[in-house]
Structure formats: C-alpha cells, structure tokens
Amino acid sequence: MAFQAFRVHGGDAGHSAGIDQIDLDDLSEGEITIQVAWSSVNYKDALAGSGKAKIMRRFPMAGGIDVAGHVTASQDDRFKEGDPVLVTGCGLSETRDGGYSEQLRIPAANTVKVPEGLDLREAMGLGTAGFTAALCLHRMEQNGQQPDMGPILVTGATGGVGTLALQMFSGLGYEAHALSGKVERFHDLQEFGASQCISRRDLHWGQRPLESSKWAGAVDSVGGEMLSGLTRVIHPWGNIASCGLAGGVELHSTVMPFIIRGVSLLGIDSVNCPYALRQELWQRLASDLKPTRLDQLITREVTMDQLPEVFELMMAGDSFGRTVVKVG
Ligand SMILES: NC(=O)c1ccc[n+]([C@@H]2O[C@H](COP(=O)([O-])OP(=O)(O)OC[C@H]3O[C@@H](n4cnc5c(N)ncnc54)[C@H](OP(=O)(O)O)[C@@H]3O)[C@@H](O)[C@H]2O)c1
C-alpha cells in the first residue's frame, strides 16, 4: 500500500524536494520495518533538503537523519512487532532512506530500542543533536574533564546541539557558558542552564597563539574562526569537542595550545559511533543526561510538508532549540 515520504531529488535532473507517494519496495532494504511516528530536523537535514551541500549519495531518497517508530516486521530475533525503536545517523539520508517516510526499513545493527524514560517524541526531541551533545560530554569526561576544572563554553548555543549541551553540562554540575549570535535569546539560554551568555559580536579572541585562558573546555558546533579562537583560550589540560561546521570548515591554529597547555581537540562523529557506545549513551539520555526542560527545548512541531520552511530558517542561522517532525 502506498504511503507518503518527503524525498529529495537531485543529480542531473537538478535539486527538488517534496512529498512523494511511494511503496515499501522504493525504500532501502533492512531487516526491520517500522511505522515511523516521529523524526526531527538537524542542520544536516537542512543542508540535504535545501540542496546546499552534497549529503545524499544517490537520488531520490527520503530525507531525515533521525527516526523513531514501532516495529511492524522483523527478521532479527532482538526485535519484535510493537517494539519502540530509534535510529540516528548510521547513513540515514546519506546512503539510505531516512526518517521522513511513513514507513521505513532499517538494519538491525543500527537500531536501538527506545529506553524506558523516553517516549518516541522525546527521543526525537533529542535526536542526533542530543546524541551528539552526549557524545561530546562523554568524550570530554573520558579525557579527564571535570566540573571543578572550570567553566565550559558552548558555541552555537541556541541551536539543537547547543541548547541540549547547555542542559546536559549544567545538569551534571558544570558551569556552562553560552556563546550566541542571538542576544534576544539570552534569557532562554539562562533558563536552559547557562550561567553566563556572551554575544558573538563582543568576542575578541586576540591574535597570539596563546591568549589568556578563559574556559576549561568547550563544545563547538561552529568550526572555522570560532574553533581556531577557542584553541587559544582553553585552560591547561582542557578539552574542546569539535562537532560542527555552521560557521566554516577551515581550522587555522598553531601547535602551541596542544604542546604548551596540553589542550585536547576531540573529534565528534555521531554517525559512525560504535553500537555499544550508542546504546550506552541512549540509556544515559533517558536517565542522568535527560534534560529537565526537554519539553521547552522542543520549540517546533511540524509535519513533512512544512519541512522546506524549517530548512530555510536553519540555513539562515535562525534556529532555536529543536524541531520535531510528526510523521505518522
Ligand atoms: N559531528 C557530528 O556528528 C554532528 C552531529 C550533529 C550536528 N553536527 C553539526 O553541529 C552543528 C550544529 O547542528 P545543529 O543541528 O545544532 O544546528 P542548528 O540547530 O541549526 O544550530 C546551529 C547554531 O549555530 C550558530 N550558527 C549558525 N550559523 C552560524 C555562523 N555562520 N557563524 C557562527 N555561528 C553560527 C547558531 O547559533 P547562535 O546564533 O546561538 O550562535 C545556530 O543556532 C552543525 O554544523 C552540524 O552539522 C555535527
């Protein structure tokens, strides 16, 4: 029976995106079939859906790097009909159809049972952004980050990763500082756990390879000049989790922060995160890392036909919080 999917067309025919009627056989294969309930919108979805970057490797394909729904059929013993499950990253909307589809086939090797403590909508309120914030925190703590070392700076603070990182770090007792281009959102950022808010416009990194250090660590979803500046102002033995490129892909720095201050630059790849760690982090996202204000962080709920306007907003840097997509 036909159902709806928000698909991106491209290649020689040129970029277009919208709702198509498709059948199960039009979808990428997988041992598990799900009735999709919710998806979400991440920066990468906006890049793929607007055609601004080459995210998808083939066309047409359903967008959406996140998906949550109920199993309707499974060829894998670990999953049975009715199980609530989720997938984030793992090639969705890159090499295989993603979550903007009323039904989806997914590989068992990437599928996580939604842990107790989260419903499907909340799971997508977190989605890749929440998983990435949790991965940043995990990698920084694995590398010795502790609350008593000093404050953590979160860049791109009003975005999905940013708002969730603020909640998670402050929830664990860190002093979290927010760096944002949206002064009018400072009050909200404080509500989400920022003890200090800094305007991007007031930021002057200085030009020396090492400037006075200000923060014990950072979560950076901006990249480019922002990341270059950050390397110069992190306390000795601090960590920078580099997860994004909203401001650029280049990195100009020197080795000085690394060899004089022992600063660590940690790479964050949420797409190919090993399965055991993926499960562990989702358990934490349902317990000690679950944001107390998750409901308020979900600032928008849309249907698939509203996706293009959300993509536009995100590409303009005007995001605030998380957008969930009601698919079912
Ligand atoms: N490595 C991974 O596995 C992974 C996973 C998820 C996301 N990401 C990346 O992380 C970034 C954030 O993703 P998201 O889903 O949170 O996106 P988002 O909700 O759109 O947030 C991005 C935020 O970055 C800031 N920003 C946007 N354009 C900027 C610019 N030109 N210069 C400086 N700051 C800018 C804005 O915050 P302010 O106005 O508050 O500054 C914006 O709200 C993206 O680059 C995304 O690709 C990577």
Side-chain angles (χ1 to χ4, degrees):
M1 196 147 71
F3 52 88
Q4 292 195 330
F6 182 94
R7 294 205 301 177
V8 179
H9 298 255
D12 294 340
H15 172 84
S16 67
I19 302 225
D20 291 339
Q21 292 288 328
I22 62 167
D23 294 313
L24 260 189
D25 288 342
D26 294 318
L27 290 171
S28 316
E29 294 193 351
E31 304 88 28
I32 299 174
T33 307
I34 62 172
Q35 182 73 43
V36 178
W38 296 94
S39 181
S40 83
V41 189
N42 299 276
Y43 192 81
K44 199 181 206 172
D45 296 314
L47 285 173
S50 62
K52 293 261 161 49
K54 253 185 148 176
I55 303 291
M56 294 185 171
R57 315 276 166 77
R58 63 174 179 79
F59 300 101
M61 202 152 66
I65 64 172
D66 292 341
V67 69
H70 287 104
V71 173
T72 52
S74 172
Q75 296 160 20
D76 186 288
D77 290 345
R78 288 169 294 176
F79 301 93
K80 60 177 193 318
E81 203 179 323
D83 280 347
V85 293
L86 66 87
V87 184
T88 58
C90 299
L92 292 190
S93 176
E94 287 188 77
T95 52
R96 55 182 306 115
D97 288 286
Y100 302 154
S101 173
E102 288 176 335
Q103 294 188 47
L104 198 64
R105 297 197 288 203
I106 46 179
N110 302 144
T111 304
V112 173
K113 276 192 193 152
V114 176
E116 258 179 56
L118 283 181
D119 61 32
L120 295 178
R121 185 176 182 274
E122 288 176 325
M124 290 295 95
L126 292 165
T128 284
F131 183 74
T132 301
L135 188 54
C136 290
L137 193 147
H138 169 83
R139 290 219 61 202
M140 288 170 71
E141 288 198 331
Q142 252 193 340
N143 207 41
Q145 197 75 45
Q146 286 174 8
D148 61 9
M149 288 166 67
I152 302 294
L153 183 69
V154 175
T155 69
T158 60
V161 175
T163 47
L164 286 159
L166 281 175
Q167 279 263 288
M168 287 178 205
F169 277 88
S170 60
L172 289 193
Y174 286 88
E175 185 182 334
H177 294 181
L179 181 58
S180 172
K182 304 184 190 81
V183 177
E184 69 281 9
R185 290 292 186 187
F186 278 10
H187 178 70
D188 299 294
L189 292 173
Q190 279 160 355
E191 295 274 296
F192 294 152
S195 62
Q196 259 190 51
C197 296
I198 302 150
S199 163
R200 221 190 292 154
R201 275 182 290 275
D202 297 339
L203 198 66
H204 304 290
W205 297 115
Q207 290 304 319
R208 293 176 297 179
L210 294 174
E211 295 287 347
S212 304
S213 71
K214 295 189 175 76
W215 293 283
V219 172
D220 178 47
S221 54
V222 174
E225 281 299 303
M226 184 76 79
L227 182 54
S228 309
L230 276 174
T231 60
R232 308 202 284 272
V233 295
I234 297 297
H235 293 339
W237 288 85
N239 296 287
I240 304 170
S242 163
C243 66
L245 44 62
V249 293
E250 294 194 1
L251 173 59
H252 302 285
S253 187
T254 70
V255 297
M256 302 301 267
F258 312 118
I259 65 173
I260 302 292
R261 288 188 176 156
V263 169
S264 295
L265 184 56
L266 305 175
I268 302 300
D269 168 17
S270 64
V271 175
N272 301 301
C273 174
Y275 189 64
L277 179 56
R278 195 172 278 282
Q279 283 185 305
E280 180 191 326
L281 289 180
W282 274 107
Q283 286 297 337
R284 289 193 68 184
L285 284 163
S287 50
D288 67 319
L289 295 184
K290 184 175 177 182
T292 47
R293 291 174 182 260
L294 183 54
D295 241 22
Q296 285 132 284
L297 283 170
I298 302 175
T299 48
R300 249 179 266 113
E301 182 179 312
V302 299
T303 47
M304 289 196 285
D305 55 320
Q306 296 171 290
L307 282 168
E309 43 195 278
V310 183
F311 296 156
E312 214 171 293
L313 201 81
M314 252 180 173
M315 293 317 316
D318 288 338
S319 298
F320 176 57
R322 291 280 294 154
T323 300
V324 290
V325 186
K326 192 168 173 35
V327 179

